[in-house]
Amino acid sequence: MALLEIRGLYKLFYSDGKEMEALRNINLSIEENEFVCFIGPSGCGKTTLLRIIAGLEEPSSGTVTLAGDPIRGPGPERGMVFQEYSLFPWRTVLDNVAFGLELRGVPAAERQARGRQYLKMVGLERFEARYPHELSGGMKQRVAIARALVNDPRALLMDEPFGALDAQTRNIMQSELLRIWEEKRKTVVFVTHSVDEAIYLADRIVIMSARPGRIKDIIEISLPRPRNRTSSAVNQIRDRILCDLRSEIVTI
């Protein structure tokens, strides 16, 4: 059985008495330990779908299950990393990472030990006493990833987490994320606007249509990691995705 199952999912929004269909008939299975990227034109509902999986939004109809259990709200079995760093500026790096454990009533000594373990994993063990304003953008996202992982979720949900970073830092963070994923073997659901990022990271790329968002194509990538971003195989996949996306942009 797949870890995440999405069946017959629709999402409608209402504004000024008008109905707007954001997602239409989404059906997808995501396996345990799989790395799946969603890509599509702006406004196609990628983030809305991710928020439904996170339990932050409710579908208008259809179901989303995790290991067979319906998702009815946020839970520690799903860790969320946003594009904005979403760190508490008044808390130290260690206290930010351990925040979820604190909410769950984990004793201070245990949550600090676990927080330090994950800070070491993302290479920030020397910064545990710093505050977010003392960190670079890439370091802040490492803290956000550590905070999402410290609860040992079954799925890591990531909404354009590297979108605000410069190109060099973004490439470094992509490699770091793959290192962490290979170490922890979590299921990752990753939303991006970057074709290159999706090809570099994913086992499968889900291409979504213009609004209302539907699954237009699914591309499986069997290339070994680390991937050569300029290889002929990568270029062929890139051309296929760009062709899919170009036809959607034309129809907007």
Side-chain angles (χ1 to χ4, degrees), residues 1-5 7 28-32 34 65-68:
M1 182 176 65
L3 178 65
L4 284 164
E5 292 275 5
R7 291 289 172 260
L28 185 68
S29 298
I30 299 176
E31 301 297 325
E32 191 95 43
E34 189 176 18
T65 60
L66 180 81

Side-chain angles (χ1 to χ4, degrees), residues 52-72:
I52 290 172
I53 296 171
L56 300 173
E57 303 252 6
E58 293 185 0
S60 299
S61 62
T63 61
V64 184
T65 60
L66 180 81
D69 296 325
I71 291 175
R72 305 191 190 281

Side-chain angles (χ1 to χ4, degrees), residues 12 14 39 45 50 52 59 116 119 150 162 178 226 234-235:
L12 305 176
Y14 298 90
I39 194 167
L50 195 72
I52 290 172
R116 290 188 175 103
L119 281 176
V150 76
F162 309 143
L178 284 179
V234 165
N235 286 333

Side-chain angles (χ1 to χ4, degrees), residues 136-201:
S136 68
M139 293 167 74
K140 289 176 184 177
Q141 275 302 43
R142 291 180 192 223
V143 174
I145 293 169
R147 183 178 60 183
L149 288 173
V150 76
N151 287 298
D152 195 26
R154 298 192 67 177
L156 183 62
L157 313 177
M158 309 187 79
D159 186 11
E160 296 192 66
F162 309 143
L165 303 178
D166 64 85
Q168 182 178 359
T169 304
R170 185 170 186 155
N171 286 349
I172 293 170
M173 289 301 300
Q174 290 165 5
S175 297
E176 284 295 293
L177 176 59
L178 284 179
R179 177 185 63 80
I180 293 166
W181 172 72
E182 288 170 352
E183 179 180 337
K184 292 297 179 181
R185 303 307 295 179
K186 301 296 182 183
T187 298
V188 177
V189 184
F190 190 106
V191 166
T192 181
H193 275 103
S194 169
V195 173
D196 289 343
E197 183 168 69
I199 297 171
Y200 187 74
L201 293 174

Side-chain angles (χ1 to χ4, degrees), residues 39-108:
I39 194 167
S42 295
C44 72
K46 302 183 297 295
T47 292
T48 298
L49 178 56
L50 195 72
R51 288 177 61 85
I52 290 172
I53 296 171
L56 300 173
E57 303 252 6
E58 293 185 0
S60 299
S61 62
T63 61
V64 184
T65 60
L66 180 81
D69 296 325
I71 291 175
R72 305 191 190 281
E77 71 282 355
R78 284 155 289 136
M80 185 82 174
V81 180
F82 300 91
Q83 181 173 357
E84 307 82 18
Y85 309 120
S86 303
L87 302 179
F88 299 118
W90 60 89
R91 296 178 71 108
T92 65
V93 165
L94 179 58
D95 286 342
N96 265 285
V97 170
F99 178 69
L101 299 176
E102 184 178 337
L103 289 180
R104 293 167 58 192
V106 175

